[in-house]
């Protein structure tokens, strides 16, 4: 969620177990480009630039998940809001 190449500020993020999401390759790229993100309560949101995605199948997959809450990990933990907030502030195209 918070890239490895970002300086450590706040909670160390580079190897933090709660600084990641399990996404398919295409969704991972769309997430990194800021086409969708998460709210602090782990709901999926899309950006105003979402329509720029050319792949209609990818758009359909992401749109079908909007407002859904991501699933807990096996250990019932979710990404830290600090990392999600970084993504929304620095990657998300609102």
């Amino acid at each position: 969620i918070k890239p490895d190449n970002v300086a450590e500020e706040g909670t160390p993020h580079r190897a933090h177990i709660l600084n990641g999401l399990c996404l398919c390759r295409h969704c991972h790229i769309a997430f990194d480009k800021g086409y969708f993100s998460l709210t602090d309560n782990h709901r999926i949101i899309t950006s105003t630039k979402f329509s720029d995605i050319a792949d209609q199948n990818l758009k359909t997959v992401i749109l079908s998940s909007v407002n859904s809450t991501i699933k807990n990990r096996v250990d019932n933990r979710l990404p830290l809001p600090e990392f999600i907030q970084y993504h929304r502030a620095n990657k998300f195209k609102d």
Side-chain angles (χ1 to χ4, degrees):
I1 298 172
K2 187 174 183 181
D4 285 349
N5 63 353
V6 173
E8 296 279 4
E9 292 180 24
T11 305
H13 66 279
R14 289 189 177 105
H16 201 293
I17 192 82
L18 300 180
N19 183 33
L21 295 170
C22 183
L23 300 170
C24 75
R25 178 180 181 274
H26 301 288
C27 287
H28 184 119
I29 292 168
F31 185 80
D32 283 352
K33 289 185 175 190
Y35 291 117
F36 73 98
S37 192
L38 300 173
T39 64
D40 286 353
N41 61 350
H42 305 98
R43 293 181 99 49
I44 298 168
I45 54 174
T46 59
S47 80
T48 56
K49 303 292 184 186
F50 184 78
S51 61
D52 293 350
I53 296 174
D55 184 331
Q56 292 302 313
N57 291 327
L58 177 59
K59 286 168 108 169
T60 299
V61 167
I62 295 170
L63 282 175
S64 70
S65 299
V66 169
N67 290 323
S68 297
T69 303
I70 62 171
K71 296 187 186 289
N72 289 0
R73 294 164 19 111
V74 174
D75 60 9
N76 283 328
R77 297 187 296 171
L78 291 164
L80 291 181
E82 176 181 342
F83 302 140
I84 295 168
Q85 291 164 3
Y86 176 88
H87 183 267
R88 280 198 322 267
N90 296 282
K91 298 287 184 178
F92 187 60
K93 299 176 181 189
D94 54 350

